[in-house]
Amino acid sequence: MSNSPETHQKRKAPTGKLYAIADIHVSFPSNRTAWSDLEPHPGDGLILCGDIGETIEHLQVAFSIATKCFDTVWWCPGNHELYSLPSGSSADVRGENKYQQCVEVARLYDVLTPEDDFVVWEGQGGPAVVAPIFTLYDYSFRPSDVTLQNAVPWAREHNIEATDEYLLHPDPHPSREEWCKILVEKFESKLEAAKSRFPSLPFIIANHWPLRKDLVNLKYIPRFTIWCGTVLTNDWHQRFNAKVVISGHLHIRRTDWKNGCRFEEVSLGYPRQWKACAEMNLGVNELLREILPGPETPQDGEAPTKWRIYG
């Protein structure tokens, strides 16, 4: 299969459904094979919610297949796209430069990114503003008695440490938390501007990291939460009239309702994490999450968490 963007049709305005998936990690051969089995969805749209892979080649593989199967594709970065590796086409490309390199690849495939204007979804379940964003994390998903300086040592006490500490560089910013602050301010302003432009429309906000700390439930690695978001976005679903908030990163598929807003964690995950699905002949086609039109809102806008092991 050629990954050249010249072989793909330009995106069209979808009239069907909007789907999302995250953390497809095509660096794993079995995940790449599964992604190559993605079926055509004429008339539909797809949001890729981060952690496609670590290299430009991984993005090319993912975008090549996605844009052949869906009329419009959106992408927002995860931590893995931002990794700086010692070799390959992105060798030693760090921080903002690595992100911009990813954005340039997306644009070659006509994939919409957080750097593009938000567009209005006019397909089923619309109209709604589709808003892919990029916020990173600032270690604020930590207990109140743990200081910022002690956050990473606190996690290390339980032998937990994100690879980000070695491969995700914040250049030219002095730290990841400072980069996060700048990104939050940037996308807060962009969402405010879009809200002013489309005051009557609901938003579909897509971000790799969860917007709320209370949606991070990591039973086996609880101290990994410090790499999972920022408290600065806790109320964004209300401030920006979100109908749905989409995230990945946790590799734990779930649906939550807060204040009438649906929160969807849409990860595929590493091969071992969706092995049970694969053994039931459930692949990426079955694990795509329908975002719009989606289910009806609960009567009081709240509902217990639905753990979606098989879809």
Side-chain angles (χ1 to χ4, degrees):
M1 176 185 294
S2 171
N3 293 328
S4 170
E6 288 78 17
T7 65
H8 302 294
Q9 296 180 348
K10 292 294 183 179
R11 58 184 165 87
K12 298 179 287 186
T15 58
K17 296 181 177 182
L18 178 63
Y19 292 89
I21 194 168
D23 300 80
I24 61 173
H25 291 288
V26 297
S27 58
F28 291 90
S30 57
N31 278 31
R32 186 181 300 208
T33 298
W35 190 245
S36 69
D37 292 332
L38 188 67
E39 296 173 352
H41 278 256
D44 294 339
L46 176 68
I47 299 173
L48 294 170
C49 214
D51 277 10
I52 303 306
E54 295 76 29
T55 69
I56 296 308
E57 290 76 19
H58 294 156
L59 289 178
Q60 290 172 334
V61 167
F63 293 158
S64 170
I65 295 169
T67 52
K68 284 182 177 179
C69 293
F70 286 85
D71 284 10
T72 296
V73 177
W74 289 261
W75 164 83
C76 50
N79 49 313
H80 280 250
E81 282 94 335
L82 304 175
Y83 283 178
S84 298
L85 303 179
S87 61
S89 59
S90 301
D92 299 321
V93 181
R94 296 163 65 106
E96 288 271 12
N97 287 339
K98 181 64 188 294
Y99 171 55
Q100 290 301 328
Q101 189 181 60
C102 294
V103 169
E104 290 170 9
V105 174
R107 287 177 172 166
L108 287 175
Y109 287 86
D110 213 16
V111 170
L112 292 167
T113 78
E115 301 307 306
D116 296 304
D117 291 338
F118 297 154
V119 300
V120 175
W121 172 264
E122 299 284 4
Q124 294 180 32
V129 178
V130 179
I133 64 174
F134 168 32
T135 62
L136 208 55
Y137 53 84
D138 60 3
Y139 307 97
S140 60
F141 283 6
R142 63 182 190 272
S144 59
D145 61 345
V146 176
T147 66
L148 173 60
Q149 292 74 21
N150 288 330
V152 174
W154 169 78
R156 287 174 179 157
E157 289 176 358
H158 284 198
N159 297 316
I160 295 170
E161 185 170 17
T163 305
D164 297 19
E165 295 297 314
Y166 304 95
L167 296 182
L168 202 168
H169 304 288
D171 306 35
H173 312 290
S175 64
R176 280 177 287 274
E177 55 267 31
E178 184 62 28
W179 191 9
C180 173
K181 178 183 177 183
I182 290 168
L183 288 167
V184 167
E185 292 173 351
K186 171 182 175 178
F187 286 100
E188 186 175 36
S189 296
K190 186 169 183 177
L191 286 163
E192 288 282 9
K195 181 181 175 182
S196 295
R197 185 180 177 192
F198 304 108
S200 64
L201 295 186
F203 279 58
I204 308 299
I205 300 177
N207 187 46
H208 180 68
W209 295 271
L211 296 191
R212 293 173 60 102
K213 182 182 176 183
D214 61 356
L215 298 181
V216 180
N217 187 316
L218 302 172
K219 180 178 179 181
Y220 299 107
I221 50 170
R223 297 194 181 192
F224 191 80
T225 56
I226 62 173
W227 291 281
C228 292
T230 170
V231 297
L232 297 174
T233 60
N234 186 66
D235 65 348
W236 280 18
H237 66 294
Q238 292 178 295
R239 287 182 55 194
F240 302 115
N241 191 29
K243 181 175 184 177
V244 188
V245 173
I246 312 161
S247 64
H249 193 58
L250 306 182
H251 296 194
I252 302 172
R253 291 181 293 278
R254 59 186 284 179
T255 300
D256 293 90
W257 292 89
K258 302 287 184 181
N259 312 114
C261 176
R262 176 163 45 100
F263 288 80
E264 295 280 11
E265 209 283 0
V266 298
S267 298
L268 178 65
Y270 301 134
R272 69 180 185 275
Q273 294 168 325
W274 64 281
K275 181 181 178 182
C277 296
E279 291 173 345
M280 298 175 64
N281 293 318
L282 302 175
V284 294
N285 295 294
E286 291 77 24
L287 297 179
L288 293 175
R289 185 62 178 163
E290 182 183 308
I291 303 302
L292 291 177
E296 293 292 327
T297 303
Q299 189 171 4
D300 60 358
E302 304 277 342
T305 298
K306 181 177 182 180
W307 305 97
R308 295 186 289 98
I309 298 173
Y310 300 115

